[in-house]
Amino acid sequence: MIWHWRRPGLLLRWNAVLCAVLVLLWSGPEDTRIGGAAALGVWTAVSIGTYWASRRGGVIVRGWRAAALWIVFGAAVGAGAALCTVLVMLFKDVRHAHPFPDYPPGVLAAMIARVPPWAAAGALFGLCAGLMRGALDPRSPDAGVPDGRGVI
């Protein structure tokens, strides 16, 4: 398994702009459902994690280190998703400034309590993504044979 980190590109910047605009638009209307906040929190965490990982671009990681990196990256994004969801909810509460917030402190505390399961889910998702990335590796099956004979 090989993981080649690339430098951040223009696509990551436009993704961040679109994410910020959608958070701003979502926070306008009155809504107390958690699904939209969770989706925006996950998107924000994935955007931040991808940008952070791509800032260390130009590195090639092989073998078990690549699998471990996928797992750690997934766990960090999973934990960050719960925390970003809390921040998105808090942003909406602060923007509206009602005497009774859209997301009361009990809801925010319950979302913070979900950090460990979301980190575990992210680690499993990272492992699956790493294994799928390894399965889609474009190397030919005969690449390891020095004399050019085919492997059956």
Side-chain angles (χ1 to χ4, degrees):
M1 179 182 314
I2 297 174
W3 187 11
H4 182 218
W5 281 355
R6 305 207 188 287
R7 296 264 180 208
L10 191 60
L11 183 64
L12 283 177
R13 291 181 186 166
W14 281 109
N15 177 44
V17 168
L18 182 63
C19 183
V21 166
L22 284 179
V23 167
L24 191 63
L25 290 176
W26 168 82
S27 66
E30 295 292 332
D31 186 20
T32 59
R33 290 179 288 185
I34 298 176
L40 287 172
V42 169
W43 186 5
T44 304
V46 169
S47 298
I48 291 170
T50 305
Y51 182 74
W52 177 83
S54 67
R55 293 282 302 196
R56 283 123 185 91
V59 177
I60 298 175
V61 183
R62 292 183 169 89
W64 67 269
R65 289 182 180 92
L69 229 95
W70 277 101
I71 293 170
V72 169
F73 178 75
V77 168
L83 297 175
C84 285
T85 301
V86 170
L87 290 176
V88 165
M89 290 176 175
L90 193 60
F91 176 72
K92 185 171 186 173
D93 284 344
V94 169
R95 184 170 180 214
H96 285 202
H98 297 306
F100 300 104
D102 293 339
Y103 301 105
V107 173
L108 298 176
M111 188 56 71
I112 290 174
R114 286 175 172 76
V115 169
W118 281 33
L124 290 174
F125 188 80
L127 175 64
C128 291
L131 290 175
M132 286 177 57
R133 176 74 173 99
L136 296 175
D137 193 5
R139 294 180 299 160
S140 70
D142 301 334
V145 181
D147 60 358
R149 290 180 296 142
V151 177
I152 298 177

